[in-house]
Amino acid sequence: MTVYTTTSLKAELNERGWRLTPQRETILHIFQELPQGQHLSAEDLYHRLEGEGEGISLSTIYRTLKLMARMGLLRELELGEGHKHYEINQPYPHHHHHLICVKCNATIEFKNDSILKIGAKTAQKEGFHLLDCQMTIHAVCPKCQRALMPL
C-alpha cells in the first residue's frame, strides 16, 4: 500500500484517465490531516467543508469518496450507524481493524498482523492485487452489557 501525496494521487488519476480536480485535492487534504482513529461520513465531510467555506456539493463528495475508496486511498467502513465512514488507508504498520458495539456504536481500533498476512497471501494466491484488508467485529461493549443486565 502507498502513502498518497498530491503528486502520487495526480499521477494515478492521470494514469486512469481522470484529473486531480481542486475538489479531489481538498478532500485528500482533509483525510491526510485527520487525527489517527478519526473517521468521516460523507455528511460529516460536507459539514466540515461547508464550515471552512468550501463549496463542494454532497454529490461530488459521494463520488469522490467512492473513487478514492476504489483506488485504495480511502478505507470504506461500515461502523453500524447506517451509513459508511471513511478514513485514509494507512500502509503497514499503521493498518488496523475495528471492534464496534452494536448498541452504542463505540468503536475501538486494533492491530493484528495475522489478518493482513492472510489477506495478502490469499489475494496473491488468486492473482489479485490487495488494496485493503480489514476486519470489523460487531459485539456489545461492557457498558452496554451492564445496561442489559437486570439489577
Side-chain angles (χ1 to χ4, degrees), residues 86-106:
Y86 298 84
E87 67 182 1
I88 202 86
N89 195 6
Q90 296 283 352
Y92 179 85
H94 304 291
H95 199 83
H96 62 271
H97 309 280
H98 298 91
L99 175 63
I100 303 164
C101 177
V102 297
K103 295 290 185 191
C104 70
N105 293 321

Side-chain angles (χ1 to χ4, degrees), residues 70-84:
R70 277 197 321 266
M71 292 173 66
L73 167 61
L74 296 180
R75 296 178 90 192
E76 192 175 71
L77 309 168
E78 295 280 353
L79 298 180
E81 295 177 11
H83 54 269
K84 294 178 168 75

Side-chain angles (χ1 to χ4, degrees), residues 4 6 10-11 20 24 38 41 47 66 104 114 116 120 130:
Y4 278 83
T6 301
K10 182 177 182 177
L20 177 60
R24 289 173 179 162
Q38 190 173 345
S41 68
H47 293 301
K66 284 287 183 195
C104 70
S114 298
L116 184 57
L130 180 68

Side-chain angles (χ1 to χ4, degrees), residues 2 7-8 10 15 26 43-45 50 56 76-77 95 102 112 128 142-143:
T2 311
T7 305
S8 65
K10 182 177 182 177
E15 188 177 298
T26 298
E43 293 80 10
D44 295 336
L45 180 58
E50 191 177 49
I56 301 176
E76 192 175 71
L77 309 168
H95 199 83
V102 297
N112 186 312
F128 283 65
K143 179 180 163 194

Side-chain angles (χ1 to χ4, degrees), residues 49-148:
L49 290 167
E50 191 177 49
E52 294 177 7
E54 295 286 344
I56 301 176
S57 71
L58 191 55
S59 61
T60 297
I61 289 170
Y62 274 110
R63 283 192 308 273
T64 302
L65 293 174
K66 284 287 183 195
L67 172 66
M68 290 182 172
R70 277 197 321 266
M71 292 173 66
L73 167 61
L74 296 180
R75 296 178 90 192
E76 192 175 71
L77 309 168
E78 295 280 353
L79 298 180
E81 295 177 11
H83 54 269
K84 294 178 168 75
H85 284 76
Y86 298 84
E87 67 182 1
I88 202 86
N89 195 6
Q90 296 283 352
Y92 179 85
H94 304 291
H95 199 83
H96 62 271
H97 309 280
H98 298 91
L99 175 63
I100 303 164
C101 177
V102 297
K103 295 290 185 191
C104 70
N105 293 321
T107 303
I108 295 174
E109 294 182 351
F110 67 96
K111 295 178 188 288
N112 186 312
D113 293 341
S114 298
I115 295 167
L116 184 57
K117 287 176 186 171
I118 291 168
K121 186 176 180 179
T122 303
Q124 182 182 15
K125 178 182 168 194
E126 299 297 329
F128 283 65
H129 172 75
L130 180 68
L131 293 176
D132 187 18
C133 178
Q134 59 180 297
M135 174 183 270
T136 303
I137 300 172
H138 300 273
V140 179
C141 73
K143 179 180 163 194
C144 291
Q145 288 176 48
R146 286 190 297 276
L148 292 172

